Amino acid sequence: MGPISLLLLLLFINADAKSSSSSFTPADNYLINCGSPDPTLLDDARTFKSDPQSSSYLSTDEDILASVASLPDAPPPSLFLTARIFHHTSMYRFLITKPGLHWIRLHFHPLPHPTYNLTSATFSVSTDDTVLLHGFSAATAVFKEYLINTTSDKLTLKFSPMRNSVAFVNALEVVSAPDDLVPDSASAVPAGEASVVNKYAFEVSYRLNVGGPAVTPRNDTLSRTWRTSGEFMAFPDGARNVSVPNDAITYPSGGATPLTAPYPVYATADQMADSATSDPNFNLTWIMSVDPSFSYLIRLHFCDIVSKGLNELYFNVYINGATGAANLDLSTLTNGLAIPYYKDFVLNASAITNGSVVVQVGPASNVVSALPNAILNGIEVMKMSNSAGSLDGLFSSDGAKKINSGMRVAAVVGLALSATAAALLLFAAVRWCRRPKLGYEKQKTFSSWLLPLNSSQCSFMSSKSKTFSTIANSGVNLGRFFTLNELKEATKNFDEKSVVGVGGFGKVYLGEIDGGATKLAIKRGNPSSSQGINEFQTEIHLLSKLRHRHLVSLIGYCDEQSEMILVYEYMANGPLRDHLYGSGHLPPLPWRRRLEICIGAARGLHYLHTGSTQGIIHRDVKTTNILLDENLLAKVSDFGLSKAGPASVDQTHVSTAVKGSFGYLDPEYFRRQQLTEKSDVYSFGVVLFEVLCARAALDPALPREQVNLAEWAKQRHAKGETEGIVDPAIAGTITRESLEKYVEAAEKCLAEYGVDRPSMGDVLWNLEYALQLQGAEDSKIHGADMTDDSGLLVASSPMFLEGLSAR
Ligand SMILES: *[C@@H]1O[C@H](CO)[C@@H](O)[C@H](O)[C@H]1NC(C)=O
Ligand SMILES: *[C@@H]1O[C@H](CO)[C@@H](O)[C@H](O)[C@H]1NC(C)=O
Ligand SMILES: *[C@@H]1O[C@H](CO)[C@@H](O)[C@H](O)[C@H]1NC(C)=O
């Protein structure tokens, strides 16, 4: 090869390397050096804002700073030289321009301070829905890194000191990350497939450049640090490091990119020492200690920089003793040598013994022709949030740990809670104790993870209430067991005056316990109705597994004396429909409020569809099944008709007799009797137009072409006349952009064929966008909005559940 062709080849390789996207501009990029009087420019070219520059993000009632001139372990420029100290709970709030994956990075160094001893400071840090640190203290410099998926346009970082202590932070980062850094699914260990992996929050536990030098933020486009791996090797003598120049690596056209891991990770590896001569019965082993009560996402990076030809290297990969990949042949997977490849695993907490993650690679002994060898280039271990939405401890971010028993604690906490709100807090506590883990834990039954939680963390319930019980044989814990007498007392012996709703299988009563402090919705089944029994059982089984802020919570049940009674949280503001239209309807809700309600309901449905392995189809989405609590927070209710989704991937629907409510029925489901999540999406589209137009899904009193709202709305939209059908009460208050986005989303839901409809996640995103588009305009008319809101809250009347449905 002549020098010119070599040059051309190099140029070509270079161009190729550039073409695989190695740059990334974060949409959100908040870098703050807390307590620092000046901005700080790091050697990786990132500038951290000074404390004064970032004061608009901080909401606190105090101004305590600490600083030192220099630190032996952190020469300047350093983020560790200054800190902010919080005596009271304080928050940083950030606007998120692009929802999705975000890094949260926290830098701690306990600096000296005349009043506070930071080495013993104990505190918690949480986001809006994830606990990052709980009862944390830092005796030395500590760096914490998280990857969280935000769906909202806001992100709050809350620092909460423990009693008689303070919280502190030296620097923090909230930065957009590429959404494909976390996979949708991964191989589960010990077995199976883990889905909806991207629904979790993650804490980076380990990130290792195996066989290579440490990689610092300046060598990684995403500002990550990759540590060296030597200290984690079980038998370092059995390994030999190998490296090639960075430009020998060619990223594939699909799959790994320099953002997945930078060149230095793939250009270095550990392989077996003297692979040809030593006993091939041997594994390279890395051992990393972890908290065994969590599951972990493990990403292994490979790049065959040792083979001379294709198909020479076959090896096995083990995670905690289980086979993760057998006879891995990188050259076949990547169609060449020196091409990066990575593989994701979800290690279930149940498979973690000895408190460690063990990664092993060893030669595939059954492939005789190959040279026995095995390699590994990089390891990432990320802790996955648990069922309470926590990455540290068992408590959720709503501060519910402070609850030991109902009202007393509410007083201690000193929150100005109404009685109902306090009760809801208690219910929330029950809820997070029993929130389901998501799909990847399919192998574990629901009760197997539930029971230990109950025995330890939910014990405040047993001290408060009489008994815990489970319905015989079901193995599913249904929450608190109520005696029939208790419920009789709560409802004044099922007094007709306490009836707040009538549904498919019986009446719903408003009940009061704890001397009126706690309100409950008590659904009493009619034992003579067999349909009732089925729906009762469906609802028990589904609801007991589902816990979500936007799903009505089951609190308990009573099955004494062949009664079938379900006890739910009480939703003070009743069905959404009553706030839209109908006889005696309540004052009209402002547009922003309507959007928030739709977003809440969409969240609930999205969770139903994706929150469990199988996914659950509600089947009866309508405005009477969307209930509002005392803060007008929307929750989806009535799972009597719900069905578990298709059991396997290749099966895309569930065949079933058509049930549901007219006016909301998916036409495709009606024709083909095949139920998919998209049927719920259709019904939700009808709900969206009901909310916009404040009229019923079916109104026979209207002229013929207007009777069916879905048809009518589609027709008007096609003619570009949507504005004409908007509820006159709010017509002038909606921005054009918000209306357009909303109608576009609603209209897509009503597509004739399910495949053309968006997923609930897409709908959710579009609604949030519509809310943002309304945002700016709202501030102009904020005054008017507020009056509407408060007027409505005053006028809210106790009402509940399940209006008569047109099933
Ligand atoms: C690779 O191995 C050599 C010799 O065993 C050692 O000196 C060197 O530090 C190693 N490099 C890395 C990056 O671990
Ligand atoms: C990191 O980048 C610097 C210059 O940008 C370079 O000198 C250094 O070798 C790089 N380190 C690694 C591990 O690639
Ligand atoms: C490698 O590790 C796996 C999992 O721990 C084990 O089953 C296997 O026997 C090991 N192989 C050798 C050759 O020791």
Side-chain angles (χ1 to χ4, degrees), residues 280-283 318 321 360:
N281 254 359
F282 168 68
N283 289 320
Y318 309 94
Q360 292 174 290

Side-chain angles (χ1 to χ4, degrees), residues 213-215 218-219 246 264:
V215 179
R218 64 195 269 211
N219 293 74
N246 283 349

Side-chain angles (χ1 to χ4, degrees), residues 43 209 212-220 246 262-265 268:
D43 65 355
N209 180 15
V215 179
T216 57
R218 64 195 269 211
N219 293 74
D220 183 307
N246 283 349
Y263 284 95
V265 172
T268 57

Side-chain angles (χ1 to χ4, degrees), residues 596-611:
E596 285 165 356
I597 289 169
C598 292
I599 288 169
R603 285 222 170 95
L605 289 172
H606 179 56
Y607 172 78
L608 270 188
H609 291 175
T610 60

Side-chain angles (χ1 to χ4, degrees), residues 685-686 688-690 692-693 695 705-706 708-722 725 743 746-747 750:
V686 179
L688 290 178
F689 275 116
E690 248 181 299
L692 180 70
C693 310
R695 56 149 286 190
E705 75 276 13
Q706 301 184 21
N708 183 312
L709 174 59
E711 294 306 322
W712 175 234
K714 275 199 282 190
Q715 237 180 63
R716 296 297 296 247
H717 182 254
K719 292 188 181 150
E721 294 170 357
T722 334
I725 59 173
V743 170
E747 210 260 345
L750 297 182

Side-chain angles (χ1 to χ4, degrees), residues 438-767:
L438 301 185
Y440 73 96
E441 284 203 329
K442 198 181 171 194
Q443 285 81 18
K444 269 181 144 182
T445 62
F446 174 72
S447 51
S448 70
W449 64 260
L450 173 68
L451 293 176
L453 259 183
N454 268 332
S455 53
S456 56
Q457 301 310 330
C458 285
S459 52
F460 65 88
M461 277 302 292
S462 37
S463 63
K464 177 180 165 57
S465 70
K466 335 304 164 203
T467 10
F468 261 109
S469 169
T470 54
I471 279 193
N473 305 330
S474 75
V476 169
N477 192 312
L478 300 168
R480 175 170 168 180
F481 173 78
F482 290 87
T483 64
L484 189 56
N485 273 338
E486 244 178 311
L487 295 180
K488 276 185 178 163
E489 203 175 307
T491 56
K492 306 196 187 73
N493 203 13
F494 298 106
D495 185 359
E496 284 299 309
K497 285 194 205 102
S498 308
V499 174
V500 287
V502 183
F505 83 87
K507 291 177 179 167
V508 181
Y509 299 82
L510 166 59
E512 294 185 347
I513 56 172
D514 301 339
T518 305
K519 289 194 167 64
L520 302 170
I522 298 170
K523 199 168 174 182
R524 188 187 196 193
N526 173 1
S528 64
S529 143
S530 71
Q531 186 203 346
I533 293 173
N534 287 337
E535 292 190 13
F536 180 83
Q537 287 174 346
T538 311
E539 184 132 2
I540 287 185
H541 280 100
L542 290 179
L543 260 186
S544 58
K545 292 181 208 177
L546 296 168
R547 298 287 152 179
H548 190 268
R549 179 175 158 84
H550 293 288
L551 299 181
V552 169
S553 289
L554 183 66
I555 289 163
Y557 73 102
C558 166
D559 60 353
E560 264 183 11
Q561 298 173 24
S562 57
E563 286 278 352
M564 298 185 300
I565 301 176
L566 293 177
V567 180
Y568 301 86
E569 62 179 313
Y570 175 70
M571 299 290 287
N573 273 306
L576 169 58
R577 181 191 207 209
D578 294 350
H579 298 265
L580 297 172
Y581 56 86
S583 56
H585 89 91
L586 298 159
L589 296 165
W591 178 237
R592 172 173 275 278
R593 185 64 93 178
R594 292 188 202 195
L595 276 174
E596 285 165 356
I597 289 169
C598 292
I599 288 169
R603 285 222 170 95
L605 289 172
H606 179 56
Y607 172 78
L608 270 188
H609 291 175
T610 60
S612 63
T613 325
Q614 253 180 298
I616 286 165
I617 305 168
H618 186 286
R619 279 223 285 182
D620 203 12
V621 176
K622 52 183 176 178
T623 44
T624 45
N625 283 339
I626 296 170
L627 304 180
L628 305 178
D629 75 2
E630 79 284 7
N631 296 318
L632 295 173
L633 184 79
K635 301 194 183 205
V636 177
S637 81
D638 202 346
F639 304 87
L641 292 182
S642 303
K643 272 253 189 274
S648 65
V649 207
D650 39 317
Q651 194 190 341
T652 55
H653 62 267
V654 181
S655 291
T656 162
V658 173
K659 285 186 182 170
S661 301
F662 291 110
Y664 295 90
L665 261 189
D666 168 11
E668 190 177 35
Y669 168 43
F670 196 73
R671 276 195 310 271
R672 302 174 52 199
Q673 315 219 338
Q674 291 176 342
L675 191 64
T676 71
E677 282 103 348
K678 295 298 179 68
S679 308
D680 281 354
V681 173
Y682 182 92
S683 308
F684 191 69
V686 179
V687 166
L688 290 178
F689 275 116
E690 248 181 299
V691 167
L692 180 70
C693 310
R695 56 149 286 190
L698 279 184
D699 189 346
L702 289 170
R704 208 178 142 154
E705 75 276 13
Q706 301 184 21
V707 168
N708 183 312
L709 174 59
E711 294 306 322
W712 175 234
K714 275 199 282 190
Q715 237 180 63
R716 296 297 296 247
H717 182 254
K719 292 188 181 150
E721 294 170 357
T722 334
E723 277 172 37
I725 59 173
V726 175
D727 179 4
I730 54 163
T733 67
I734 311 180
T735 66
R736 174 200 294 269
E737 296 78 17
S738 177
L739 180 64
E740 267 169 16
K741 193 80 215 167
Y742 181 92
V743 170
E744 180 195 317
E747 210 260 345
K748 281 199 188 128
C749 294
L750 297 182
E752 194 65 22
Y753 299 99
V755 290
D756 299 327
R757 294 174 207 148
S759 71
M760 232 29 243
D762 295 335
V763 178
L764 178 56
W765 200 91
N766 279 302
L767 291 175

